[in-house]
Amino acid sequence: MTSTKTRKTTKTTQRGYLQELARRVLVYDGAMGTTIQLLNLVADDYGGAAYDGCPEILAVTRPDAISSIHVAYLEAGCDVLETDTFTGTRLKLDDYKLGGRTLEINRAAARLARAAADRFSTPEQPRFVAGSMGPTGMLPSSDDPALSNITYQQLAELYREQAAALMEGGVDLLLIETSQDILEVRAAITGIRRAFAELGRSLPIQAQVTLDTSGRMLLGTDVAAAAAILQHLHVDVIGLNCSTGPEHMREPVRYLTENIPLPISTIPNAGLPLNVNGQAVYPMEPDPLAQALAEFVSEFGVNVVGGCCGTTPEHLRRVIQTLRELPPAAQQRPIERLRRFASDASATQPTRLLVASAVRSQSLRQVPAPLLVGERINAQGSKKAKEAVLADDYDTLLTIARQQVESGAHVLDVQVAVTERGDEDEQMRRTVKKLEMGIEAPLVIDTTEASVVQAALETYPGRAVINSVNLENGRLRVDAVLPLAREHGSAVIALTIDEQGMAKTAARKVEVARRIYDIATQEYGLDPESLLFDTLTFTVTTGQEELRDSAIETIEGLRRIKQEMPGVLTILGVSNVSFGVKPHARAALNSVFLHHAVRAGLDAAIVNPAHITPYAEIPEIERQLCDDLLLNRSEDALARFIEYFERHGATA
Ligand code: THG
């Protein structure tokens, strides 16, 4: 009687997983897969030869065996059990023709772990269950025709289904682990959030990637890129597991703990596997594993540790004992680390400004400014790009991309819409795939169509920038695109255009920016640092009377937006200012315009990086002419500008 009563109270007062992480280091269990292998099970244990070797079916056919593994880890003192569902997506279970039983199997495995954890839970040491979700075996962002032959939506659906079943079975959090392809992780998170919506409740998400001995994921993603992508997807815990022992994780773990304002997990193998007669043997003894993990806790402030392949209850027992023996100050390090991040939450965390390609990250804030956005992959702004798009010539687009990166572009704008074709979605998908594989610079997706944004983001493994939203048709575009920005963790360029058209004065630009800012931050939960406001560059070389003050208003607008909306970034398509005049005149005018804009706080400039003339290299006389035109300092500024460059264009 007393025991049921105690159970009830522990249940209702039990702290959640994240609350517990804010109090102490949590220790996961050790290997499941390699431990099952030690049981020497036979086909009958799996329910017949057809299922022999499927670890997940054991939760149904030999629940006692799986429970005994859970209990062994609980007895060792572990705080968190992983469900026996690592290869439990429908796709993986179909290898054994068990796809039809996906829900049953995942629910059963979750219930087994739940029951074991509850038996051992006490108010002092609540035990948790992590719903384990491993890779599907597909590599959606690779160029392998077979392995990449699955869509983002199909992947999301596989993980939605598994996550929902794990939740129904009673897990405390969802654990995406041993991830090889960051695009698959993104799809998994989309799927998990769909399960949350379906069940009307949510749980913490912990996402762990696997790095090889060189510190990269299978397809080349480095830890900073992976973390930037995951942080913007609002996962609760980020970490590393599998592939190597703790030593190879040291530098990436240090990066994570120093830069990412979230709990960090580290779950290594028992060393790098040795091949002994065709069998993987994990050589690391309990003591060195425990020493390494204790050091990660005390030196770096790691919040979650545990064991992956080759680790046993004995390994975890040693880990727990070694952590207990750490001096109190060292045990506190992880909690202090989280408090430190929380206490300066008002200041912009540098990692919030990171975008990423499939392989590396890139800050949107350059010192010195600006971030250079290459403009040349633009079917409307480049004849060469247009011809390539019309001919499905992706190699040429890749060449243009490489040239821009060599000229100094930090990120690349990609615009493939042509009036001659009606398949912008597909063109964008193919272009993004080609560029994702071939260049390291992150991409800016330039389109007016929400469906094209979606196609691009579902193909791109990294953290992209969307170009752009505006309020031209009221909320139509923001309501179509901002949910995609939220789902994919993208940054977004917002143009200061509303129902009245392009804002011409600084005051109107600020007004439109403010409206978009409020919608984006309050309704869609985007960070201010994810917003880049474009105060619009008008062409000053056409002599249109009403545009005489346009450069002044554009620059003043961005100065005020930066002032009034702290954290946001600004961007301009610089080359628009000079359409229609000679190349030498364009170069000078673009450069002087850029100079003034950067002094007013411009963060990013869409430019042809090969044609950027440093301000200091422009002769004084030319600067004067450009200033007079841009700053509307005299009636005949345009005439003098054109006249001068007609005479001097050729020699410069
Ligand atoms: N703001 C935002 N996005 C943008 C713009 C902007 N995207 C498109 C555009 N403006 C920026 N991109 C370009 C691309 C090319 C040129 C100008 C801006 C350009 N092209 C030459 C021309 O048309 O004369 C070269 C032609 C050719 O090579 O064939 O100048 O403002 N957010």
Side-chain angles (χ1 to χ4, degrees):
M1 284 298 105
T2 30
S3 79
T4 40
K5 209 173 161 197
T6 326
R7 267 283 275 293
K8 256 206 171 125
T9 21
T10 50
K11 262 251 148 89
T12 49
T13 60
Q14 183 175 316
R15 290 176 293 275
Y17 178 72
L18 295 177
Q19 277 175 294
E20 197 66 12
L21 263 182
R23 300 178 68 239
R24 64 190 180 98
V25 173
L26 293 182
V27 180
Y28 270 55
D29 57 10
M32 171 63 74
T34 50
T35 309
I36 290 174
Q37 284 163 18
L38 298 177
L39 299 177
N40 293 318
L41 299 175
V42 296
D44 268 358
D45 294 304
Y46 291 90
Y51 313 129
D52 192 356
C54 174
E56 283 73 24
I57 194 64
L58 294 172
V60 176
T61 56
R62 285 292 310 274
D64 58 308
I66 300 303
S67 284
S68 71
I69 295 173
H70 288 326
V71 165
Y73 284 120
L74 291 164
E75 284 174 346
C78 296
D79 301 299
V80 189
L81 294 178
E82 289 191 24
T83 55
D84 174 30
T85 55
F86 179 72
T87 44
T89 56
R90 179 176 290 264
L91 188 72
K92 278 305 231 185
L93 293 175
D94 265 339
D95 288 348
Y96 297 94
K97 300 216 163 51
L98 286 168
R101 297 173 68 181
T102 303
L103 294 176
E104 172 202 353
I105 289 170
N106 281 281
R107 282 182 195 136
R111 286 195 193 108
L112 277 184
R114 175 81 274 155
D118 284 350
R119 274 206 305 284
F120 280 77
S121 254
T122 64
E124 302 74 45
Q125 191 190 10
R127 316 277 184 132
F128 299 97
V129 176
S132 169
M133 299 193 282
T136 60
M138 301 299 277
L139 294 173
S141 70
S142 75
D143 58 359
D144 183 293
L147 293 177
S148 67
N149 186 22
I150 190 162
T151 66
Y152 188 91
Q153 293 298 334
Q154 288 168 331
L155 285 167
E157 173 53 22
L158 290 168
Y159 286 100
R160 181 208 58 76
E161 179 181 44
Q162 188 182 18
L166 290 168
M167 288 175 76
E168 286 161 1
V171 302
D172 296 298
L173 72 143
L174 293 157
L175 173 66
I176 304 166
E177 60 170 332
T178 323
S179 306
Q180 316 276 2
D181 184 332
I182 199 71
L183 182 59
E184 182 172 82
V185 183
R186 291 184 38 217
I189 293 167
T190 288
I192 290 171
R193 296 211 188 279
R194 284 182 189 158
F196 292 170
E198 182 184 305
L199 297 181
R201 63 194 171 91
S202 59
L203 290 175
I205 300 175
Q206 179 164 321
Q208 291 171 181
V209 299
T210 289
L211 305 178
D212 62 22
T213 51
S214 75
R216 291 178 178 275
M217 294 175 70
L218 187 63
L219 300 173
T221 313
D222 71 17
V223 70
I229 293 162
L230 294 173
Q231 185 183 347
H232 285 94
L233 295 173
H234 299 278
V235 302
D236 299 281
V237 181
I238 291 177
L240 307 176
N241 77 286
C242 207
S243 187
T244 71
E247 275 322 299
H248 286 98
M249 292 182 172
R250 178 177 294 272
E251 284 313 309
V253 166
R254 184 207 299 274
Y255 173 86
L256 292 173
T257 52
E258 287 178 357
N259 294 282
I260 302 298
L262 291 174
I264 301 301
S265 62
T266 309
I267 302 185
N269 289 346
L272 282 171
L274 306 171
N275 184 334
V276 178
N277 305 324
Q279 293 270 45
V281 172
Y282 295 87
M284 199 172 207
E285 298 290 332
D287 260 342
L289 180 76
Q291 289 304 332
L293 289 178
E295 214 180 296
F296 289 177
V297 168
S298 62
E299 274 187 31
F300 304 150
V302 163
N303 306 81
V304 173
V305 297
C308 204
C309 303
T311 60
T312 63
E314 188 48 31
H315 284 88
L316 276 300
R317 205 184 318 278
R318 284 299 298 148
V319 169
I320 290 159
Q321 193 180 1
T322 310
L323 287 179
R324 264 196 214 118
E325 287 163 4
L326 285 176
Q331 293 183 29
Q332 279 297 108
R333 186 93 8 108
I335 288 80
E336 271 171 28
R337 189 180 68 79
L338 292 182
R339 285 208 193 104
R340 195 172 61 241
F341 279 122
S343 68
D344 48 50
S346 56
T348 295
Q349 307 277 356
T351 52
R352 278 207 215 148
L353 291 159
L354 296 180
V355 289
S357 66
V359 295
R360 67 165 173 81
S361 63
Q362 164 73 54
S363 181
L364 292 173
R365 185 169 291 155
Q366 283 296 305
V367 185
L371 178 89
L372 298 179
V373 183
E375 71 181 19
R376 304 307 300 158
I377 305 173
N378 189 320
Q380 281 159 22
S382 154
K383 203 158 160 285
K384 192 170 171 192
K386 179 172 182 172
E387 281 166 4
V389 166
L390 286 174
D392 284 307
D393 177 2
Y394 302 99
D395 289 326
T396 293
L397 295 177
L398 181 58
T399 304
I400 300 173
R402 291 211 170 112
Q403 286 164 348
Q404 293 185 94
V405 172
E406 278 160 25
S407 303
H410 300 108
V411 299
L412 300 179
D413 192 68
V414 181
Q415 193 284 120
V416 295
V418 284
T419 45
E420 290 85 346
R421 294 180 66 145
D423 58 346
E424 187 187 351
D425 295 27
E426 191 50 32
Q427 288 270 85
M428 181 62 93
R429 199 188 300 281
R430 291 199 205 159
T431 306
V432 166
K433 180 91 192 175
K434 186 80 183 180
L435 297 179
E436 171 255 299
M437 302 293 313
I439 55 151
E440 294 198 357
L443 300 184
V444 175
I445 308 302
D446 193 344
T447 175
T448 57
E449 300 302 316
S451 64
V452 177
V453 171
Q454 182 174 352
L457 298 181
E458 291 184 0
T459 306
Y460 195 52
R463 177 180 192 234
V465 182
I466 298 169
N467 185 13
S468 54
V469 297
N470 63 60
L471 295 170
E472 186 176 6
N473 300 307
R475 295 187 47 136
L476 201 70
R477 259 185 82 66
V478 290
D479 286 336
V481 173
L482 293 185
L484 293 169
R486 172 77 192 178
E487 174 181 348
H488 294 277
S490 320
V492 189
I493 296 172
L495 308 182
T496 50
I497 305 175
D498 70 1
E499 298 87 338
Q500 301 171 38
M502 304 188 16
K504 298 243 167 56
T505 64
R508 287 271 301 131
K509 291 175 199 281
V510 176
E511 181 188 326
V512 178
R514 166 64 68 182
R515 255 179 88 196
I516 298 175
Y517 176 90
D518 286 346
I519 295 170
T521 58
Q522 291 165 24
E523 295 182 37
Y524 291 102
L526 301 183
D527 295 333
E529 293 82 2
S530 294
L531 301 175
L532 296 102
F533 286 102
D534 184 331
T535 53
L536 309 175
T537 308
F538 295 89
T539 307
V540 298
T541 42
T542 57
Q544 268 178 283
E545 202 53 39
E546 71 277 16
L547 292 181
R548 274 177 169 268
D549 279 325
S550 68
I552 299 173
E553 298 292 333
T554 293
I555 289 169
E556 179 57 17
L558 73 88
R559 189 199 315 277
R560 284 168 53 183
I561 287 170
K562 297 266 302 182
Q563 220 164 49
E564 294 179 27
M565 288 160 245
V568 304
L569 299 157
T570 51
I571 184 166
L572 287 173
V574 171
S575 313
N576 304 1
V577 81
S578 62
F579 278 130
V581 294
K582 297 240 156 124
H584 177 51
R586 284 199 80 172
L589 194 62
N590 291 354
S591 173
V592 174
F593 178 57
L594 180 60
H595 172 78
H596 290 302
V598 168
R599 291 213 322 188
L602 183 72
D603 296 289
I606 311 176
V607 293
N608 181 345
H611 289 177
I612 294 250
T613 313
Y615 184 70
E617 286 173 20
I618 297 172
E620 182 58 32
I621 167 94
E622 295 187 9
R623 283 192 207 165
Q624 285 286 343
L625 287 163
C626 293
D627 276 350
D628 287 352
L629 179 58
L630 290 168
L631 308 178
N632 190 18
R633 291 204 293 215
S634 78
E635 270 301 314
D636 61 349
L638 179 59
R640 284 192 291 115
F641 174 89
I642 290 174
E643 193 263 343
Y644 173 90
F645 283 101
E646 286 292 337
R647 278 189 288 117
H648 293 85
T651 55

